[in-house]
Amino acid sequence: MTLTVGVLGTGIMGAAMARNLLKAGHVVQVWNRSREKAAPLEIDGADVAAMPADAVDGADVVLTMLYDGDAVSEVMRQAAPGLQAGAAWVQSTTVSLESVGELARFAEHQGLVFFDAPVLGTRQPAEAGQLTVLAAGPVDQRSVVEPVFEAVGARTVWTGADGAAGSSTRLKLVANSWVLAATHGVAESLALAKGLGVDPEDFFGLISGGPLDMGYLRAKGDAILADRLSPASFAVVTAEKDARLIVDAGQAHGVRMDVAAAGAERFRRAAEQGHGDEDMAASYYASFGS
Ligand code: NAP
């Protein structure tokens, strides 16, 4: 089924998702706050809209892939005059649990069918259409958004038996707490190796083939050692935002997230040092200097 999809936000993830929707044969209308990031999608066949309301005009499905919940809320309010009642809204931005509730209420008010649909996977899987989509939404409406998930992802994981919004974001925050902890683990171990004059290859060799030898360690470790942190797969500033969402979600549910809190501070320091747009593996630099 060919759908008209309005994509709001064409950053690292949104642009890649829009391209894969185009490849799958859907009609794609895009909008981005900084127009220069949306303009290249015209060559791929997208209609580049000047305003959010133009991008969602006539859309069967609206896809939001913005920075955080506040940005989604602001942009969807601007899009409101163009929204068509009954359209599906796939909300893929990583947002707080509180925001999911607010956005779901906004959807209800606008007559939209809301899908809480964050994604796992970074720039490369997004470009390859290999994301994992976590999705919660009304069971009887899933067939409408499935073609969108098939275009951007390799796998869809439906969460929450009742389809109520929030279960996908909860799982996403748990998964991201692991990703961020692993990233800081790589960064700090390599920083310590540098400080102690240990050859990183001796460290890799020591754990080679064992359960602690992870593909993720090698990928992020190589990027740090080669100072290959731009363009980012997942930028430091975005990772800091996610770390703070994780700390807040834990706090709201009586769980202390000490590692995530320390990690958020490392990202803040790395950004302050000028690494904010680099990949989150630039947490490495937070180990040096004050
Ligand atoms: P990104 O490249 O920085 O894109 C962020 C987008 O949000 C840009 O289009 C930006 O517009 C827009 N934006 C920010 N604040 C805005 C505002 N107040 N009003 C309107 N637009 C605003 O980030 P990304 O990596 O694609 O991430 C997008 C979302 O996906 C985030 O929630 C992130 O946590 C999540 N995510 C990222 C990854 C990853 O690996 N990168 C993986 C899974 C999920 P401008 O271009 O004008 O700045």
Side-chain angles (χ1 to χ4, degrees), residues 121-288:
T122 188
R123 180 193 288 272
Q124 195 269 334
E127 288 174 354
Q130 296 290 307
L131 294 168
T132 297
V133 181
L134 311 179
V139 178
D140 60 346
Q141 299 286 322
R142 289 180 183 176
S143 59
V144 177
V145 292
E146 265 158 356
V148 170
F149 297 162
E150 279 160 20
V152 303
R155 184 176 165 220
T156 300
V157 177
W158 289 100
T159 63
D162 58 357
S167 56
S168 286
T169 288
R170 283 196 289 275
L171 179 55
K172 167 70 181 168
L173 294 179
V174 170
N176 266 25
S177 83
W178 165 235
V179 172
L180 299 185
T183 303
H184 294 302
V186 176
E188 264 196 351
S189 297
L190 291 181
L192 185 63
K194 184 179 169 68
L196 301 186
V198 170
D199 185 340
E201 289 306 324
D202 288 346
F203 163 51
F204 293 145
L206 186 67
I207 61 169
S208 178
L212 290 171
D213 186 11
M214 298 157 45
Y216 192 78
L217 164 67
R218 301 297 182 125
K220 290 297 182 195
D222 288 352
I224 291 169
L225 295 172
D227 194 18
R228 205 174 358 88
L229 299 171
S230 293
S233 289
F234 188 176
V236 165
V237 288
T238 316
E240 182 189 346
K241 178 265 299 179
D242 279 11
R244 299 203 188 279
L245 295 183
I246 289 162
V247 172
D248 292 349
Q251 197 168 35
H253 291 81
V255 182
R256 288 181 63 142
M257 299 298 290
D258 296 328
V259 172
E265 276 307 292
R266 287 182 69 82
F267 287 137
R268 188 194 58 74
R269 265 199 327 275
E272 211 171 70
Q273 293 167 346
H275 301 285
D277 292 335
E278 293 178 10
D279 190 76
M280 61 179 166
S283 153
Y284 172 79
Y285 295 107
S287 290
F288 306 102

Side-chain angles (χ1 to χ4, degrees), residues 12-94:
I12 296 172
M13 301 296 284
M17 293 164 87
R19 279 201 179 89
N20 285 316
L21 286 163
L22 287 161
K23 275 190 207 151
H26 300 297
V27 174
V28 180
Q29 304 169 170
V30 297
W31 173 86
N32 195 66
R33 180 179 61 178
S34 316
R35 195 185 163 93
E36 70 272 12
K37 284 196 204 160
L41 287 158
E42 205 154 20
I43 298 163
D44 301 277
D47 291 326
V48 180
M51 306 291 285
D54 301 330
V56 302
D57 191 27
D60 306 298
V61 179
V62 175
L63 169 67
T64 44
M65 200 45 166
L66 297 153
Y67 176 68
D68 65 2
D70 287 348
V72 176
S73 186
E74 192 183 317
V75 170
M76 283 301 279
R77 276 171 216 290
Q78 291 168 29
L83 292 169
Q84 104 183 339
W89 175 11
V90 171
Q91 201 312 98
S92 291
T93 313
T94 308

